[in-house]
Amino acid sequence: MDVRQHLRSALETALVDTALEVCPETISVERPANPEHGDWSTNIALATAKRAGRKPRELAEALAARLNAVLPTHVESVEVAGAGFINFCLSPSWLHETLRFVVAAGTQGFARSRIGAGRSVNIEYVSANPTGPLHAGHGRWAAYGDSLARLFEHCGYAVTREFYVNDRGKQTQLFGESLAARKAGEDPPEGGYLGEYISEWAEDMPADADPVEWGLQRAHQDQLEVLASMNARFDYWASEKGLVDSGAVEEILNTLDELGYVYILEGATWLRTTQFGDSQDRVLIKSDGQPTYFLPDIAYHHQKYSRGELLIDILGADHHGYVSRMSAALQMLGHPAGHYEALIGQHVTVLQDGRKARLAKRAGKMVQARELVELAGADVARLTFLLQSIDTTQTIDVDLVVAESNENPVYYVQYANARVHSLARRARQRQVALRPLQKVDLSLLTHQRELALLRVLSELPNTVERAMRARAPHQVTTWSRECAAALHGFWHDCPILRDDVDEQLCQARLWLSEATRIGLSVGLGLLGVSAPESM
RNA sequence: GCCCCCGUAGCUCAGUGGAUAGAGCGUCGGUUUCCUAAACCGUGCGUCGCAGGUUCGAUUCCUGCCGGGGGCGCCA
């Protein structure tokens, strides 16, 4: 049940009945911050008064009178307040109905949306160079990208998760040469990789191995392990080398040339990206005959459309300038502008020993994602990355995260989940059988804590859809924390299995706990964080 | 110089154009004969960076400025 929709249609009817000709496309119904303003509120009178040529307050009064004449289900009263707000006061029965709705949907169905049905999206994330381990910053994209994918899936989209492996080119060569040099007991070449891991890996490398081939495999394996430990999945690993070898890159160059977007200047081959809003044209093939990173990347993105109608790239802030040229190239190839979306995440600053740690692979020491996961745990690492918006730079003090991992919000949420499971176990131990929900009197749930918890649960479907639209998984984190807080409050103030609790009330509360289990399970699942049954 | 992100409580951060802007941490104090105290409750004098604008209404949208971060390569 969607109470918003319920109130919206009631308002629509009232608008028609008051013969108001101006009907807005969207009627905003929201939860007021102040409980004195009722359970739900709408600004419709304020929003449409001018166009309707009436005073807001007067219009609100007219609508309220209509609604009060025949009260919609669950609505106890409709009042006008302030400049022209219409406030709805609802009977707790709407929350009791929410509980039945949550239980009926279960962990598989609750808070799912159909808005993505029949649509597909391709999400490329992390895509770190296969020349070393993932650093802590990559962890942010792993957590974010995977959770975003889960959100899309929950909203009905067919999702493909991709990782683009840049397994050819100059960096790959330098990487191989650095490994070979360390193997021979020498220093890496000019511009090579200086990280400690190069020496460690070189030791493991067989003498007869091809340093590039072996190194790429080693790095890929290392990255795959860490990503798996963080619960970040991938459906498709795209190889740049494979793409080049297949001739797809040459083909795309010919296509762009035939379309008239390619020209040669000073020995280099250029693409007229300025025709599609880029600030300058870009080089496809350097004057030394080597393609830039850009050219195979165009071919790659073009191909990706066979694996999703909407392409989403998750990129770090340092790649911001890259977006307009890719967008331009894809439009040249006939892909509508809205079918390519680059989500730019701000950087992660890692503090270790109170100092900023280097994140560059080529420079010496760096904080690896692996370290973070091993020190803090996968759940802590993952939720830490999903605490805040990717529009903000995130500072992770490794020592603090590890030292205070017990105070990490993830435990607050997981503990709520553990309590719910603990309750079910105790109920079984005490031979308290859970009766079918149809036979339980939910109207006994009247305590403020019970109603608050139900209100939070009722918000999850809306939160999921909003978070998907905003590409903001952290909104699910915020919801999960609120849900846990509501559960802890309920737990503290509302005894369930105690001897002095009425048997009917006990049943109702057990079902509320069960609904909470479902909500937390969905929330944590979207975040890729485990939901332990005991702690 | 141009482009992107940020600026909200001591700190870290939420915040869908709405009414009295919220959490966590930290501070100080309280709660357990009872289902897990990894919990709960109380305790906050905030120029929502500054100045304009749009609006019935702006922390939210627009413009300019200030401050912090990132980008402006025939690197990836």
Side-chain angles (χ1 to χ4, degrees), chain A residues 84-134:
Chain A
F85 290 101
I86 299 172
N87 296 335
F88 295 89
C89 190
L90 270 66
S91 148
S93 62
W94 79 271
L95 289 167
H96 302 146
E97 192 173 310
T98 293
L99 197 163
R100 294 186 195 280
F101 176 80
V102 173
V103 169
T107 54
Q108 294 306 307
F110 182 44
R112 278 199 187 270
S113 156
R114 299 278 304 154
I115 58 178
R119 296 193 211 172
S120 58
V121 57
N122 180 295
I123 300 178
E124 181 203 334
Y125 66 115
V126 184
S127 291
N129 276 344
T131 55
L134 298 179

Side-chain angles (χ1 to χ4, degrees), chain A residues 19 46 96 145-146 153 159 178 215 230 322 346 390 430 442 487:
Chain A
L46 289 159
H96 302 146
D146 182 71
E153 283 166 350
V159 180
S178 301
M230 284 188 66
Y322 192 71
Q346 299 303 304
I390 59 156
R430 297 192 186 192
L442 294 179
L487 182 280

Side-chain angles (χ1 to χ4, degrees), chain A residues 55-67:
Chain A
K55 286 177 185 167
R57 183 87 199 187
E58 186 187 297
L59 179 56
E61 297 283 5
L63 288 168
R66 273 289 162 185
L67 291 162

